[in-house]
Amino acid sequence: MIPTISSLQRRDLNHVWHPCSQMKDYEEFPPIVIKSGKGIYLYDENGKQYIDAVSSWWVNLFGHANERISNALANQAFQLEHVIFANFTHEPGIFLAEKLVEVTPEGLTKVFFADNGSSAIEVALKMSFQYHMQKNKPQKRRFIALTDAYHGETLGALSVGGVGLYNEVFQPLLLDTVKAQGPDCFRCPFNERPDSCSTQCISYVEDKLKAHHKELTAIIIEPLIQAAAGMKMYPPTYLKKLKELCLQYDVHLIADEVAVGFGRTGTMFACDQAGITPDFMCLSKGLTGGYLPLSVVLTTDDVYDAFYDDYETMKAFLHSHSYTGNPLACRVALEVLHIFEEEHYIDEIHVKSTYMKELASKRFDHHPYVGEYRQTGMVGAIELVKNKETKEPFPSGERIGYKIYQIALEKGLLLRPLGNILYFMPPYVITKEEIKMVINTTNEAIQEYFEHNHVCKKVHEYE
């Protein structure tokens, strides 16, 4: 049955090709037209309200239409909207670079601007490769790619990813990478628990480093949470051991904190919990609080110095985007960092994440179809399974996560499923009462789906 759609929805479907979507789905479930947003809420063309529990694809930190950020953007727009960043600079770019060096792990002293997360990954991969070329190590031209990793949609980023849904069709176009088994705490092959394990799974990467280190330039990792893989979480000790191995085998460590940076894991950056400084740190998403596209790659003096020479040596890093260092985006990002500093949001995150974990665990831990509720900082994930004892997943063709997502939307809650995983990554301005609403509404949506589709278990008994 084709639903009745509005004029705006019809006009959208006539021309717009939406991301990460099978457009045929929109015949039965057309895109929702959002007219405005405020705080954690979005409002559609009919005035219906939705809680944005996924921060609009993980970018929004301090709520929609945030007054401080909006004013900073407006003021900057009347001063300078853009200027070429080669041979020119501007105050927002300078001040932002200084502030990023101040708040990121010690030793990251140089800031290279890009446009989005994927382009930041491309920058880091290219920098690492060119660094080793200019250090007379031409054999170091491959990267280690972890299973279940996701680093973006451009070809280099797909090459170092491990989620087949995104990169399998493009395999003939991708770089020749070394594949290594990544951490999987929910289905741990060593039967350990993340809160007490010795991270034996690091041995998978160590074996690859031993065998291939002479030809490896870098390994790239999402610190603490493999997000697009289903919010797979692992302990900081894994990162610490990985850094030690990279030093031992002369391989760069690229930390992709595009999704997990800026407080998402409970600290300003996920690497902070392991006490490590990567050779490259890629940042985007929350960098501008959900306002404008911007990304940066931070790196060390050692890397920078390998490119610093007379022009004739051709050692410069010749990579650019038209909107590199855009003043509007830089000014917004600077305001985001000021908000963190002046309004003490890391402390807020600790309080709210503790409450969210207690409430969600109580609600979901004993549910017959929840294999695990896991949480790191303000990122919580519910993994739905067919068999709780064996952890057998539901067949992907059943699209259980997608169907629960639709039910939740009807109830005014925006969740974005990752296969059979439902997750929370709300803006930090969410209140405790609103956290309770998110948890309870999610539970209602799960209950409703299973009561209608898997009646063999009376899920209402687990409320």
Side-chain angles (χ1 to χ4, degrees):
M1 178 179 177
I2 298 175
T4 301
I5 63 175
S6 71
S7 172
L8 284 171
Q9 288 175 316
R10 189 179 304 281
R11 291 165 68 179
D12 175 283
L13 293 174
N14 281 341
H15 300 291
V16 178
W17 193 340
H18 287 269
C20 207
S21 301
Q22 171 47 260
M23 292 302 297
K24 187 174 175 60
D25 284 344
Y26 291 137
E27 291 180 7
E28 296 183 356
F29 194 66
I32 297 168
V33 179
I34 297 299
K35 298 283 282 188
S36 65
K38 187 63 180 176
I40 70 164
Y41 297 98
L42 297 166
Y43 300 90
D44 71 14
E45 61 180 322
N46 299 312
K48 184 175 179 177
Q49 173 181 283
Y50 303 85
I51 295 177
D52 185 359
V54 298
S55 295
S56 290
W57 246 341
W58 322 343
V59 298
N60 193 290
L61 301 185
F62 303 122
H64 297 281
N66 179 280
E67 188 172 342
R68 283 190 61 168
I69 301 175
S70 295
N71 285 335
L73 174 59
N75 291 337
Q76 183 60 45
F78 284 103
Q79 296 178 36
L80 177 66
E81 80 297 337
H82 189 62
V83 64
I84 184 174
F85 213 51
N87 294 111
F88 289 85
T89 191
H90 47 74
E91 288 184 344
I94 295 167
F95 297 162
L96 176 59
E98 289 178 338
K99 197 66 179 175
L100 285 169
V101 169
E102 178 185 324
V103 300
T104 51
E106 186 176 358
L108 296 174
T109 57
K110 303 298 180 183
V111 182
F112 193 93
F113 289 92
D115 288 8
N116 56 65
S118 296
S119 63
I121 299 303
E122 300 288 337
V123 167
L125 297 177
K126 290 173 66 177
M127 274 187 181
S128 178
F129 170 79
Q130 189 174 341
Y131 168 93
H132 283 121
M133 295 303 102
Q134 293 171 185
K135 286 288 190 177
N136 297 315
K137 302 171 187 175
Q139 73 280 10
K140 292 177 116 8
R141 58 181 62 188
R142 299 179 73 192
F143 300 91
I144 291 187
L146 295 181
T147 56
D148 294 321
Y150 176 86
H151 300 289
E153 302 289 355
T154 49
L155 290 177
L158 284 174
S159 297
V160 292
V163 181
L165 177 66
Y166 302 105
N167 64 11
E168 187 173 341
V169 69
F170 301 107
Q171 284 300 323
L173 303 178
L174 304 184
L175 301 173
D176 177 26
T177 57
V178 175
K179 309 295 184 183
Q181 178 69 40
D184 188 349
C185 292
F186 179 51
R187 294 180 174 87
C188 176
F190 302 97
N191 296 314
E192 292 201 25
R193 294 180 56 82
D195 55 356
S196 60
C197 80
S198 57
T199 55
Q200 296 180 58
C201 56
I202 196 69
S203 61
Y204 296 128
V205 173
E206 185 173 11
D207 290 343
K208 299 296 183 180
L209 285 167
K210 285 179 181 178
H212 300 282
H213 65 94
K214 291 182 180 179
E215 57 180 326
L216 290 172
T217 178
I219 181 170
I220 182 169
I221 191 167
E222 301 160 88
L224 300 187
I225 304 175
Q226 290 186 304
M231 300 302 168
K232 295 177 66 174
M233 302 172 185
Y234 61 91
T237 49
Y238 185 94
L239 281 180
K240 192 174 184 65
K241 289 182 177 182
L242 182 60
K243 174 63 177 179
E244 292 169 356
L245 288 170
C246 287
L247 290 171
Q248 180 181 343
Y249 288 104
D250 186 28
V251 171
H252 283 146
L253 176 59
I254 302 172
D256 175 0
E257 293 226 17
V258 168
V260 299
F262 301 102
R264 289 294 185 193
T265 64
T267 49
M268 194 63 175
F269 301 101
C271 284
D272 294 338
Q273 296 186 40
I276 65 165
T277 298
D279 299 287
F280 303 91
M281 179 178 277
C282 302
L283 302 173
S284 189
K285 289 193 183 291
L287 174 60
T288 61
Y291 270 68
L292 290 168
L294 181 68
S295 66
V296 296
V297 178
L298 287 99
T299 190
T300 63
D301 285 340
D302 176 59
V303 171
Y304 179 83
D305 290 344
F307 293 79
Y308 195 89
D309 208 336
D310 294 327
Y311 177 83
E312 292 77 14
T313 64
M314 301 305 292
K315 289 185 175 181
F317 186 60
L318 300 178
H319 181 106
S320 64
H321 298 276
S322 300
Y323 281 92
T324 297
N326 175 255
L328 297 172
C330 288
R331 179 63 187 89
V332 163
L334 187 61
E335 191 65 22
V336 165
L337 294 180
H338 288 329
I339 292 172
F340 267 111
E341 185 176 60
E342 296 166 15
E343 300 187 24
H344 310 290
Y345 264 98
I346 296 299
D347 294 336
E348 282 277 314
I349 289 167
H350 176 72
V351 173
K352 291 175 181 178
S353 63
T354 300
Y355 178 76
M356 186 168 84
K357 187 171 185 177
E358 290 173 353
L359 196 62
S361 295
K362 182 179 178 180
R363 181 65 75 185
F364 301 119
D365 279 354
H366 302 291
H367 193 287
Y369 291 113
V370 173
E372 179 182 57
Y373 176 75
R374 50 184 176 264
Q375 185 176 322
T376 299
M378 284 290 282
V379 183
I382 304 162
E383 179 143 354
L384 301 169
V385 294
K386 188 174 183 178
N387 187 305
K388 196 177 180 79
E389 297 302 317
T390 64
K391 302 180 182 179
E392 178 189 356
F394 285 101
S396 60
E398 290 190 27
R399 303 187 74 184
I400 288 176
Y402 178 69
K403 292 171 183 175
I404 294 173
Y405 153 77
Q406 291 178 301
I407 295 170
L409 277 175
E410 287 295 319
K411 297 176 181 293
L413 175 64
L414 170 55
L415 302 171
R416 180 77 186 178
L418 295 164
N420 292 326
I421 291 91
L422 303 168
Y423 68 89
F424 314 122
M425 197 187 288
Y428 303 148
V429 294
I430 192 170
T431 66
K432 285 188 174 181
E433 188 59 34
E434 289 165 339
I435 290 172
K436 187 176 181 179
M437 289 169 60
V438 169
I439 300 298
N440 287 342
T441 304
T442 302
N443 184 61
E444 290 170 9
I446 293 172
Q447 300 276 62
E448 186 172 320
Y449 172 79
F450 283 114
E451 286 176 356
H452 285 87
N453 297 277
H454 290 261
V455 293
C456 57
K457 293 185 181 179
K458 297 180 180 179
V459 294
H460 62 271
E461 294 178 358
Y462 295 84
E463 291 184 8

